[in-house]
Amino acid sequence: MYPVLYENGWLVLYTHDFFTVVGLLAALALYYYELRKRNMLGFEIFWISIAAVVGGSLGARLIVVLDNPAAYFSNLGSMPLSYFLTHSGKGIIGGIVGGYLAIALTKRLFKYKHSTGDCYAPAIPLGMAIGRVGCFFSELPLGTPTDMPWGISVSQQAASQFAVCPGCSGKMHPSMVYEIIFHLAAFALILRYRNLVRVQGDTLKLYLLAAVVFRFLVEYVRGSREYAFGFTSAQVALLILTVPLVIHFVRQWRRGVYRMPEPPVARASPGRREPVMPTRLVRDKEAGLP
Amino acid sequence: MSIDLTAIIEYIRQNRQTYTREAITSQLVTAGYNPADVEAAWGSVDVGVPAPPSGYAGTTGLSGGNWDSGSPEQPRSQRLVSSPAFWGYMVGFILLSYILPGGLFWLGASNSDGLIVNIAIGMFILLQLGALVAGVVSLSRNRPRGVGLMTGVLMTLVVLPICAFTIFFGMCLASLGALGPSF
């Protein structure tokens, strides 16, 4: 485990920060490629993307404040902002929510109608997988105790730094590795099968729904503190996030969006071969249906 | 080979806000349309020019080939972001803004030379003001340069500092769960 990747005098490169930035840059590069491939690269998109990064980074911070409001608000008047920034945390759930809200607001500002979700769909799991490598190598508390053969232990020196680490004395679930595997699998599946998703933006929403469910389950082996009703704070946030996603899919289904309209029957012009009539139309015609 | 593309274009226009390009293309090809004609129709819809007249011939022309940088059919905002000049001026200015005054600042701070530190700060401020003025002046003559410089100022002063402070400092929420806020 390597919490510090490089150190030379005043220059200290932390593993977590390094992988966060590499993950972000890789995701942005892939996102740029997807936009370019779809001919969607425009000035509005440029600002929407900037808003996504800013909203995501602010959201990642704000979720920590919501997680522990008493600690933050009681020190608001006595601590400088710089101290809050250096001694506070970052949460990826807040990052995704902040980014999503920023995109939605900026799109509304620009009156931008096109769906951009499919461009983000492969970029987010790629960035998440890389970022989680940083979490894993930073020797963070991994998870609850386990007897599984893939359980991982941390050094005594690292364990002594954590006030709460129920599994630090033995082997723990490598929850970060579970997440890395999930996001890499999601990345591969999205690249391979995204053409099967017909509705714009649904690839991202399907991934988010899967990620929300997976992370909810991972929380049970992550060893996080209980927040309310037996759930951790992340699980509460994930439950809230699930609602709009489920509503979206139900609403789309009820509107009949998943039944794509039939195109007009191909009309031949002189000198052109007769187009093949779709099987369904032939069947309907034979049955005397309109 | 010729075909009236109007029907395809209309179908694409009606459904492109909801369905993916691949799904619409697949649906049209399944319905019996020639893939090349479908691509031509997409090209027409993408560019935003009126539908070609009935009997439009050929499988080239308005297809994806017209989308290279700076093509006259490309919307203005798209041409700007595709322009290497825009990215060059923006990224170049951001690097210049941080590296030159930053290097001077580091030199002054490590030698405890207040004059060099002040020069570095002054240089940073002047660079931003200069880029802002140059950007406004260039807007009418060289739009990529003007917008690139002004965007560079905004990125240098607002966007990148926010991202750097929120991304670099602090710790992962996982460790915070174990430690609690350390204040």
Side-chain angles (χ1 to χ4, degrees):
Chain A
M1 299 295 178
Y2 309 98
V4 176
L5 198 65
Y6 178 78
E7 192 169 6
N8 187 0
W10 57 272
L11 181 66
V12 182
L13 187 59
Y14 291 99
T15 311
H16 187 262
D17 292 344
F18 174 78
F19 279 97
T20 304
V21 172
V22 171
L24 186 64
L25 291 178
L28 282 174
L30 184 57
Y31 169 63
Y32 176 83
Y33 170 78
E34 291 285 333
L35 285 173
R36 205 176 169 84
K37 196 173 78 175
R38 290 171 165 80
N39 296 323
M40 284 172 71
L41 207 56
F43 204 57
E44 295 93 343
I45 276 287
F46 175 78
W47 286 111
I48 291 167
S49 313
I50 298 289
V53 176
V54 175
S57 49
L58 289 175
R61 291 293 185 150
L62 287 174
I63 192 91
V64 184
V65 179
L66 293 176
D67 186 32
N68 226 320
Y72 285 86
F73 289 112
S74 60
N75 291 292
L76 202 60
S78 54
M79 298 283 179
L81 186 64
S82 58
Y83 195 83
F84 274 109
L85 284 170
T86 49
H87 291 73
S88 168
K90 295 170 270 189
I92 191 63
I93 298 169
I96 288 178
V97 173
Y100 199 93
L101 288 176
I103 291 167
L105 286 173
T106 322
K107 272 181 160 180
R108 186 154 288 195
L109 194 72
F110 283 118
K111 296 185 172 66
Y112 190 85
K113 295 280 173 60
H114 294 291
S115 170
T116 48
D118 293 340
C119 302
Y120 290 103
I124 294 178
L126 177 70
M128 294 275 278
I130 296 171
R132 279 287 178 242
V133 173
C135 291
F136 179 68
F137 280 128
S138 300
E139 215 170 33
L140 299 171
L142 298 163
T144 52
T146 182
D147 294 329
M148 298 292 185
W150 57 82
I152 293 177
S153 53
V154 295
S155 66
Q156 287 301 315
Q157 189 194 354
S160 65
Q161 291 176 12
F162 298 119
V164 184
C165 185
C168 272
S169 53
K171 283 187 171 182
M172 292 181 280
H173 276 287
S175 63
M176 308 294 176
V177 177
Y178 298 159
E179 288 198 63
I180 292 168
I181 293 168
F182 170 80
H183 290 299
L184 285 178
F187 176 63
L189 285 171
I190 287 169
L191 287 186
R192 179 72 183 82
Y193 294 110
R194 63 178 160 181
N195 285 352
L196 297 178
V197 182
R198 294 177 145 201
V199 177
Q200 282 197 34
D202 268 13
T203 308
L204 176 69
K205 291 183 181 81
L206 279 170
Y207 158 73
L208 287 178
L209 192 60
V212 160
V213 172
F214 183 81
R215 176 64 192 273
F216 187 89
L217 296 174
V218 163
E219 279 293 307
Y220 285 111
V221 296
R222 196 162 151 150
S224 303
R225 288 176 299 168
E226 189 183 312
Y227 183 71
F229 310 111
F231 295 128
T232 66
S233 56
Q235 283 177 319
V236 173
L238 292 165
L239 280 172
I240 296 168
L241 275 181
T242 312
V243 176
L245 285 169
V246 171
I247 287 174
H248 164 80
F249 286 112
V250 171
R251 200 162 57 181
Q252 296 275 73
W253 177 71
R254 287 182 69 175
R255 282 179 181 168
V257 172
Y258 296 116
R259 284 169 52 206
M260 202 171 167
E262 290 289 339
V265 178
R267 182 158 50 91
S269 294
R272 188 178 187 279
R273 69 180 172 84
E274 189 70 30
V276 180
M277 191 176 275
T279 318
R280 198 182 67 75
L281 291 178
V282 173
R283 200 177 56 233
D284 289 353
K285 199 176 175 184
E286 284 169 0
L289 294 172
Chain B
M1 200 160 52
S2 63
I3 188 172
D4 180 4
L5 291 184
T6 317
I8 309 180
I9 290 170
E10 193 52 36
Y11 180 76
I12 292 174
R13 284 202 175 127
Q14 279 175 1
N15 292 290
R16 69 188 303 223
Q17 295 290 346
T18 309
Y19 298 100
T20 62
R21 185 181 180 124
E22 292 80 12
I24 295 171
T25 303
S26 159
Q27 194 82 342
L28 284 165
V29 171
T30 311
Y33 290 98
N34 188 331
D37 291 334
V38 175
E39 275 309 304
W42 268 114
S44 177
V45 173
D46 283 341
V47 172
V49 297
S54 178
Y56 166 75
T59 56
T60 54
L62 288 173
S63 59
N66 277 354
W67 274 100
D68 38 287
S69 178
S71 93
E73 291 86 0
Q74 217 170 5
R76 200 178 177 197
S77 76
Q78 209 160 17
R79 278 209 306 273
L80 181 72
V81 180
S82 300
S83 148
F86 166 74
W87 289 99
Y89 277 108
M90 187 185 75
V91 175
F93 177 73
I94 292 168
L95 291 176
L96 188 75
S97 287
Y98 287 135
I99 292 173
L100 203 61
L104 267 181
F105 188 91
W106 176 78
L107 196 71
S110 55
N111 292 325
S112 304
D113 190 336
L115 180 65
I116 296 179
V117 170
N118 286 339
I119 289 173
I121 295 170
M123 180 186 281
F124 182 79
I125 295 167
L126 280 177
L127 271 172
Q128 306 307 311
L129 286 174
L132 211 56
V133 172
V136 173
V137 171
S138 303
L139 266 182
S140 54
R141 274 180 279 174
N142 187 337
R143 194 171 162 78
R145 183 170 68 193
V147 180
L149 283 172
M150 290 199 296
T151 310
V153 173
L154 193 66
M155 297 287 275
T156 307
L157 294 179
V158 182
V159 177
L160 289 174
I162 289 177
C163 292
F165 277 115
T166 49
I167 290 169
F168 272 120
F169 299 108
M171 59 196 89
C172 177
L173 189 59
S175 64
L176 199 72
L179 295 165
S182 50
F183 42 79

Coordinates of all heavy atoms in Angstrom, one line a residue, chain A residues 202-267:
Chain A
D202 N -30.5 6.7 -21.9 CA -30.8 5.5 -21.0 C -29.6 4.7 -20.7 O -29.6 4.0 -19.6 CB -31.9 4.7 -21.7 CG -33.3 5.1 -21.3 OD1 -33.4 6.2 -20.7 OD2 -34.3 4.4 -21.5
T203 N -28.6 4.7 -21.5 CA -27.4 3.9 -21.2 C -26.8 4.5 -19.9 O -26.5 3.7 -19.0 CB -26.3 4.1 -22.3 OG1 -27.0 3.8 -23.5 CG2 -25.2 3.1 -22.1
L204 N -26.7 5.8 -19.7 CA -26.2 6.4 -18.5 C -27.1 6.1 -17.3 O -26.6 5.7 -16.2 CB -26.0 7.9 -18.7 CG -25.6 8.6 -17.4 CD1 -24.1 8.3 -17.1 CD2 -25.7 10.1 -17.6
K205 N -28.4 6.2 -17.5 CA -29.3 6.0 -16.4 C -29.3 4.5 -16.0 O -29.4 4.2 -14.8 CB -30.7 6.4 -16.8 CG -30.8 8.0 -16.9 CD -32.2 8.4 -17.3 CE -32.2 9.9 -17.4 NZ -31.8 10.4 -18.7
L206 N -29.2 3.6 -16.9 CA -29.1 2.2 -16.6 C -27.9 1.9 -15.8 O -27.9 1.2 -14.8 CB -29.1 1.3 -17.8 CG -30.5 1.1 -18.5 CD1 -30.3 0.4 -19.8 CD2 -31.3 0.2 -17.6
Y207 N -26.8 2.5 -16.2 CA -25.5 2.3 -15.5 C -25.6 2.9 -14.1 O -25.2 2.3 -13.1 CB -24.3 3.0 -16.3 CG -23.2 3.3 -15.4 CD1 -22.3 2.3 -14.9 CD2 -22.9 4.6 -14.9 CE1 -21.3 2.6 -14.0 CE2 -21.9 4.9 -14.1 CZ -21.1 3.9 -13.6 OH -20.1 4.1 -12.7
L208 N -26.2 4.1 -14.0 CA -26.3 4.7 -12.7 C -27.2 3.9 -11.7 O -26.9 3.7 -10.6 CB -26.9 6.1 -12.8 CG -26.0 7.2 -13.4 CD1 -26.8 8.5 -13.5 CD2 -24.8 7.4 -12.5
L209 N -28.3 3.3 -12.3 CA -29.1 2.5 -11.5 C -28.4 1.2 -11.0 O -28.5 0.9 -9.8 CB -30.4 2.1 -12.3 CG -31.5 1.4 -11.5 CD1 -32.1 2.3 -10.5 CD2 -32.6 1.0 -12.5
A210 N -27.6 0.6 -11.9 CA -26.8 -0.6 -11.5 C -25.8 -0.2 -10.5 O -25.6 -0.9 -9.5 CB -26.2 -1.2 -12.8
A211 N -25.1 1.0 -10.7 CA -24.1 1.4 -9.8 C -24.7 1.7 -8.4 O -24.0 1.4 -7.4 CB -23.4 2.6 -10.3
V212 N -25.9 2.3 -8.4 CA -26.5 2.6 -7.1 C -26.8 1.4 -6.3 O -26.6 1.2 -5.1 CB -27.8 3.5 -7.4 CG1 -28.8 3.4 -6.2 CG2 -27.5 4.9 -7.7
V213 N -27.4 0.4 -7.0 CA -27.7 -0.9 -6.4 C -26.5 -1.6 -5.9 O -26.4 -2.1 -4.7 CB -28.5 -1.8 -7.4 CG1 -28.7 -3.2 -6.8 CG2 -29.9 -1.2 -7.7
F214 N -25.4 -1.6 -6.7 CA -24.2 -2.3 -6.4 C -23.5 -1.6 -5.1 O -23.1 -2.3 -4.2 CB -23.2 -2.3 -7.5 CG -21.9 -3.0 -7.3 CD1 -21.9 -4.4 -7.3 CD2 -20.8 -2.4 -6.8 CE1 -20.7 -5.1 -7.1 CE2 -19.6 -3.1 -6.5 CZ -19.6 -4.4 -6.6
R215 N -23.5 -0.3 -5.2 CA -22.9 0.4 -4.1 C -23.6 0.2 -2.8 O -23.1 0.1 -1.7 CB -22.7 1.9 -4.4 CG -22.2 2.8 -3.4 CD -20.7 2.4 -3.0 NE -20.4 3.1 -1.8 CZ -19.9 4.4 -1.7 NH1 -19.7 5.0 -2.9 NH2 -19.6 4.9 -0.6
F216 N -25.0 0.2 -2.9 CA -25.8 -0.1 -1.8 C -25.4 -1.4 -1.1 O -25.3 -1.5 0.1 CB -27.3 -0.1 -2.2 CG -28.3 -0.2 -1.1 CD1 -28.8 1.0 -0.5 CD2 -28.7 -1.4 -0.6 CE1 -29.7 0.9 0.6 CE2 -29.6 -1.5 0.5 CZ -30.1 -0.3 1.1
L217 N -25.2 -2.4 -1.9 CA -24.8 -3.7 -1.4 C -23.4 -3.7 -0.8 O -23.2 -4.3 0.2 CB -25.0 -4.8 -2.5 CG -26.4 -5.0 -3.0 CD1 -26.4 -6.0 -4.2 CD2 -27.3 -5.6 -1.9
V218 N -22.5 -3.0 -1.5 CA -21.1 -2.9 -1.0 C -21.0 -2.3 0.3 O -20.2 -2.7 1.2 CB -20.3 -2.2 -2.1 CG1 -18.9 -1.7 -1.5 CG2 -20.0 -3.0 -3.3
E219 N -22.0 -1.4 0.6 CA -21.9 -0.7 1.9 C -22.0 -1.7 3.1 O -21.5 -1.4 4.1 CB -23.1 0.3 2.0 CG -22.8 1.6 1.3 CD -21.7 2.4 2.0 OE1 -21.8 2.7 3.2 OE2 -20.8 2.8 1.3
Y220 N -22.7 -2.8 2.8 CA -22.8 -3.8 3.9 C -21.5 -4.5 4.3 O -21.3 -5.0 5.3 CB -23.8 -4.9 3.5 CG -25.2 -4.4 3.6 CD1 -26.0 -4.3 2.4 CD2 -25.8 -4.2 4.8 CE1 -27.3 -3.8 2.5 CE2 -27.1 -3.7 4.9 CZ -27.9 -3.5 3.7 OH -29.2 -3.1 3.8
V221 N -20.5 -4.4 3.3 CA -19.2 -5.0 3.7 C -18.1 -3.9 3.7 O -16.9 -4.2 3.8 CB -18.8 -6.1 2.6 CG1 -19.7 -7.3 2.6 CG2 -18.7 -5.5 1.2
R222 N -18.5 -2.7 3.8 CA -17.6 -1.6 3.7 C -17.2 -1.1 5.2 O -16.2 -0.5 5.3 CB -18.1 -0.5 2.9 CG -17.1 0.5 2.5 CD -17.6 1.4 1.4 NE -16.9 2.7 1.5 CZ -16.7 3.4 0.4 NH1 -17.0 3.0 -0.8 NH2 -16.2 4.6 0.5
G223 N -18.0 -1.4 6.1 CA -17.7 -1.1 7.5 C -17.9 0.4 7.8 O -17.3 1.0 8.7
S224 N -18.8 1.0 7.0 CA -19.1 2.5 7.3 C -20.0 2.6 8.5 O -20.7 1.6 8.9 CB -19.8 3.1 6.1 OG -19.0 3.0 4.9
R225 N -20.0 3.8 9.1 CA -20.9 4.0 10.3 C -22.3 4.0 10.0 O -22.7 4.5 8.9 CB -20.5 5.3 10.9 CG -19.1 5.3 11.6 CD -18.8 6.7 12.1 NE -18.7 7.6 11.0 CZ -18.7 9.0 11.2 NH1 -18.7 9.5 12.4 NH2 -18.6 9.8 10.1
E226 N -23.1 3.5 10.9 CA -24.6 3.5 10.7 C -25.1 5.0 10.9 O -24.6 5.7 11.8 CB -25.3 2.7 11.8 CG -26.7 2.5 11.5 CD -27.4 1.6 12.6 OE1 -26.8 0.6 13.0 OE2 -28.4 2.1 13.1
Y227 N -26.0 5.4 10.0 CA -26.4 6.8 10.0 C -27.9 6.9 10.5 O -28.2 7.6 11.4 CB -26.3 7.3 8.6 CG -26.7 8.7 8.4 CD1 -25.9 9.8 8.9 CD2 -27.8 9.1 7.7 CE1 -26.2 11.1 8.7 CE2 -28.2 10.4 7.5 CZ -27.4 11.4 8.0 OH -27.7 12.7 7.8
A228 N -28.8 6.1 9.9 CA -30.2 6.1 10.3 C -30.9 4.9 9.8 O -30.6 4.4 8.7 CB -30.9 7.4 9.7
F229 N -31.8 4.4 10.6 CA -32.6 3.2 10.3 C -31.8 2.0 9.9 O -32.2 1.2 9.1 CB -33.7 3.5 9.2 CG -34.5 4.7 9.5 CD1 -34.3 5.9 8.7 CD2 -35.4 4.8 10.5 CE1 -35.0 7.0 8.9 CE2 -36.1 5.9 10.7 CZ -35.9 7.1 9.9
G230 N -30.6 1.8 10.5 CA -29.7 0.7 10.2 C -29.0 0.9 8.9 O -28.2 0.0 8.5
F231 N -29.1 2.0 8.2 CA -28.4 2.3 6.9 C -27.3 3.2 7.2 O -27.3 4.1 8.1 CB -29.4 2.9 5.9 CG -30.5 2.0 5.5 CD1 -31.8 2.5 5.5 CD2 -30.2 0.7 5.0 CE1 -32.8 1.7 5.1 CE2 -31.3 -0.1 4.6 CZ -32.6 0.4 4.6
T232 N -26.3 3.1 6.3 CA -25.2 4.1 6.4 C -25.6 5.4 5.6 O -26.6 5.3 4.9 CB -23.9 3.5 5.7 OG1 -24.2 3.4 4.3 CG2 -23.5 2.2 6.3
S233 N -24.9 6.4 5.8 CA -25.3 7.7 5.1 C -25.3 7.5 3.6 O -26.1 8.0 2.9 CB -24.3 8.8 5.5 OG -23.0 8.5 5.2
A234 N -24.3 6.7 3.1 CA -24.3 6.5 1.7 C -25.5 5.7 1.2 O -26.1 6.0 0.1 CB -23.0 5.7 1.3
Q235 N -25.9 4.8 2.0 CA -27.1 4.0 1.6 C -28.4 4.9 1.6 O -29.2 4.7 0.7 CB -27.3 2.8 2.6 CG -26.4 1.7 2.3 CD -26.5 0.5 3.2 OE1 -26.7 0.8 4.5 NE2 -26.5 -0.7 2.8
V236 N -28.5 5.8 2.6 CA -29.6 6.7 2.6 C -29.6 7.6 1.3 O -30.6 7.7 0.6 CB -29.6 7.6 3.8 CG1 -30.7 8.7 3.8 CG2 -29.8 6.8 5.1
A237 N -28.4 8.1 1.0 CA -28.3 8.9 -0.2 C -28.6 8.1 -1.5 O -29.3 8.6 -2.4 CB -26.9 9.5 -0.4
L238 N -28.2 6.8 -1.5 CA -28.4 6.0 -2.7 C -29.9 5.7 -2.8 O -30.4 5.6 -3.9 CB -27.6 4.7 -2.5 CG -26.1 4.8 -2.6 CD1 -25.4 3.6 -2.2 CD2 -25.7 5.2 -4.1
L239 N -30.6 5.5 -1.7 CA -32.0 5.2 -1.7 C -32.8 6.4 -2.3 O -33.7 6.2 -3.1 CB -32.6 4.9 -0.3 CG -32.3 3.5 0.2 CD1 -32.7 3.4 1.7 CD2 -33.1 2.5 -0.6
I240 N -32.3 7.6 -1.9 CA -33.0 8.8 -2.4 C -32.7 8.9 -3.9 O -33.6 9.3 -4.7 CB -32.4 10.1 -1.7 CG1 -32.9 10.0 -0.2 CG2 -32.9 11.4 -2.3 CD1 -32.2 11.0 0.7
L241 N -31.5 8.6 -4.3 CA -31.1 8.7 -5.8 C -31.9 7.7 -6.6 O -32.1 7.9 -7.8 CB -29.6 8.4 -5.9 CG -28.6 9.5 -5.7 CD1 -27.2 9.0 -5.9 CD2 -28.9 10.6 -6.7
T242 N -32.2 6.5 -6.0 CA -32.9 5.5 -6.8 C -34.3 6.0 -7.3 O -34.7 5.6 -8.4 CB -33.1 4.2 -5.9 OG1 -31.9 3.9 -5.3 CG2 -33.5 3.0 -6.8
V243 N -34.9 6.8 -6.4 CA -36.3 7.2 -6.7 C -36.5 7.9 -8.1 O -37.2 7.4 -8.9 CB -36.9 8.1 -5.6 CG1 -38.2 8.6 -5.9 CG2 -36.9 7.3 -4.3
P244 N -35.7 9.0 -8.4 CA -35.9 9.6 -9.7 C -35.5 8.7 -10.9 O -36.1 8.8 -11.9 CB -34.9 10.8 -9.7 CG -34.0 10.6 -8.5 CD -34.7 9.7 -7.6
L245 N -34.5 7.8 -10.6 CA -34.1 6.9 -11.7 C -35.3 5.9 -12.0 O -35.6 5.7 -13.2 CB -32.9 6.1 -11.3 CG -31.6 6.9 -11.4 CD1 -30.5 6.1 -10.7 CD2 -31.2 7.2 -12.8
V246 N -35.9 5.4 -11.0 CA -37.0 4.4 -11.2 C -38.2 5.1 -11.8 O -38.8 4.6 -12.8 CB -37.4 3.7 -9.9 CG1 -38.7 2.9 -10.0 CG2 -36.3 2.8 -9.4
I247 N -38.5 6.4 -11.3 CA -39.6 7.1 -11.9 C -39.4 7.4 -13.4 O -40.3 7.3 -14.2 CB -39.7 8.5 -11.1 CG1 -40.3 8.2 -9.7 CG2 -40.6 9.5 -11.9 CD1 -40.4 9.5 -8.8
H248 N -38.1 7.7 -13.7 CA -37.8 7.9 -15.1 C -38.2 6.7 -16.0 O -38.9 6.9 -17.0 CB -36.3 8.3 -15.3 CG -35.8 8.2 -16.7 ND1 -36.0 9.2 -17.6 CD2 -35.2 7.1 -17.4 CE1 -35.5 8.8 -18.8 NE2 -35.0 7.6 -18.7
F249 N -37.7 5.5 -15.6 CA -38.0 4.4 -16.4 C -39.5 4.0 -16.4 O -40.0 3.6 -17.5 CB -37.1 3.2 -15.9 CG -35.7 3.3 -16.2 CD1 -34.7 3.5 -15.2 CD2 -35.3 3.2 -17.5 CE1 -33.4 3.6 -15.6 CE2 -33.9 3.4 -17.9 CZ -33.0 3.6 -16.9
V250 N -40.2 4.2 -15.3 CA -41.6 3.9 -15.3 C -42.3 4.8 -16.2 O -43.2 4.4 -17.0 CB -42.1 3.9 -13.9 CG1 -43.7 3.8 -13.8 CG2 -41.5 2.8 -13.0
R251 N -42.0 6.1 -16.1 CA -42.6 7.1 -16.9 C -42.4 6.9 -18.4 O -43.3 7.0 -19.2 CB -42.1 8.5 -16.5 CG -43.1 9.6 -16.9 CD -42.9 10.9 -16.2 NE -41.5 11.4 -16.3 CZ -41.1 12.5 -15.7 NH1 -41.8 13.2 -15.0 NH2 -39.8 12.9 -15.9
Q252 N -41.2 6.6 -18.8 CA -40.8 6.3 -20.2 C -41.7 5.1 -20.7 O -42.1 5.1 -21.8 CB -39.3 6.0 -20.3 CG -38.4 7.1 -20.0 CD -38.2 8.0 -21.2 OE1 -39.1 8.8 -21.5 NE2 -37.1 8.0 -21.8
W253 N -41.7 4.1 -19.8 CA -42.5 2.9 -20.2 C -44.0 3.2 -20.4 O -44.6 2.7 -21.3 CB -42.3 1.8 -19.1 CG -43.0 0.5 -19.4 CD1 -42.7 -0.4 -20.4 CD2 -44.2 0.1 -18.7 NE1 -43.7 -1.4 -20.3 CE2 -44.5 -1.2 -19.3 CE3 -44.9 0.6 -17.6 CZ2 -45.6 -1.9 -18.8 CZ3 -46.0 -0.2 -17.2 CH2 -46.3 -1.4 -17.8
R254 N -44.5 4.0 -19.5 CA -45.9 4.3 -19.5 C -46.2 5.2 -20.8 O -47.3 5.1 -21.3 CB -46.4 5.0 -18.3 CG -46.5 4.0 -17.1 CD -47.0 4.7 -15.9 NE -48.4 5.1 -16.0 CZ -49.1 5.6 -15.0 NH1 -48.5 5.8 -13.8 NH2 -50.3 5.9 -15.1
R255 N -45.3 6.0 -21.2 CA -45.5 6.8 -22.3 C -45.3 6.0 -23.6 O -45.5 6.6 -24.7 CB -44.5 8.0 -22.3 CG -44.8 9.1 -21.4 CD -43.7 10.1 -21.5 NE -44.0 11.2 -20.6 CZ -43.1 12.1 -20.2 NH1 -41.9 12.1 -20.8 NH2 -43.4 13.1 -19.4
G256 N -44.9 4.8 -23.5 CA -44.7 4.0 -24.7 C -43.4 4.3 -25.5 O -43.3 4.0 -26.6
V257 N -42.5 4.9 -24.8 CA -41.2 5.3 -25.4 C -40.4 4.0 -25.9 O -39.7 4.1 -26.9 CB -40.4 6.2 -24.5 CG1 -39.0 6.4 -25.0 CG2 -41.1 7.5 -24.3
Y258 N -40.6 2.9 -25.1 CA -39.8 1.8 -25.4 C -40.4 1.0 -26.6 O -39.8 0.0 -27.0 CB -39.6 0.9 -24.2 CG -38.8 1.6 -23.1 CD1 -39.4 1.9 -21.9 CD2 -37.5 2.0 -23.4 CE1 -38.7 2.7 -21.0 CE2 -36.8 2.7 -22.4 CZ -37.4 3.1 -21.2 OH -36.7 3.8 -20.3
R259 N -41.5 1.4 -27.2 CA -42.0 0.9 -28.4 C -41.7 1.9 -29.5 O -42.5 2.8 -29.7 CB -43.5 0.6 -28.3 CG -43.8 -0.7 -27.5 CD -45.2 -0.8 -27.1 NE -46.1 -0.7 -28.3 CZ -47.3 -0.3 -28.3 NH1 -47.9 0.0 -27.1 NH2 -48.1 -0.3 -29.4
M260 N -40.7 1.7 -30.2 CA -40.2 2.7 -31.2 C -41.2 2.8 -32.4 O -41.7 1.7 -32.9 CB -38.9 2.2 -31.7 CG -38.1 3.4 -32.3 SD -36.4 2.9 -32.6 CE -35.9 4.2 -33.6
P261 N -41.5 4.0 -32.8 CA -42.5 4.1 -33.9 C -42.0 3.5 -35.2 O -40.8 3.5 -35.5 CB -42.6 5.6 -34.1 CG -42.0 6.3 -33.0 CD -41.1 5.3 -32.4
E262 N -42.9 2.9 -36.0 CA -42.5 2.3 -37.3 C -42.2 3.4 -38.3 O -42.9 4.4 -38.3 CB -43.6 1.4 -37.8 CG -43.9 0.2 -37.0 CD -42.8 -0.9 -37.2 OE1 -42.1 -0.8 -38.2 OE2 -42.7 -1.7 -36.3
P263 N -41.2 3.2 -39.1 CA -40.9 4.2 -40.1 C -41.9 4.1 -41.3 O -42.5 3.1 -41.4 CB -39.5 3.9 -40.6 CG -39.2 2.5 -40.1 CD -40.2 2.2 -39.0
P264 N -42.0 5.1 -42.1 CA -42.9 5.0 -43.2 C -42.4 3.9 -44.2 O -41.2 3.6 -44.2 CB -42.8 6.4 -43.9 CG -41.5 7.0 -43.4 CD -41.2 6.4 -42.1
V265 N -43.3 3.4 -44.9 CA -43.0 2.3 -45.8 C -42.1 2.9 -46.9 O -42.4 3.9 -47.5 CB -44.3 1.7 -46.4 CG1 -43.9 0.6 -47.4 CG2 -45.2 1.1 -45.3
A266 N -41.0 2.1 -47.2 CA -40.0 2.6 -48.2 C -40.7 2.7 -49.5 O -41.4 1.8 -50.0 CB -38.9 1.7 -48.2
R267 N -40.5 3.9 -50.2 CA -41.2 4.1 -51.5 C -40.1 4.1 -52.6 O -39.1 4.9 -52.5 CB -41.9 5.5 -51.5 CG -42.7 5.8 -52.7 CD -43.8 6.8 -52.4 NE -43.3 8.0 -51.7 CZ -42.8 9.1 -52.3 NH1 -42.7 9.2 -53.6 NH2 -42.4 10.1 -51.5

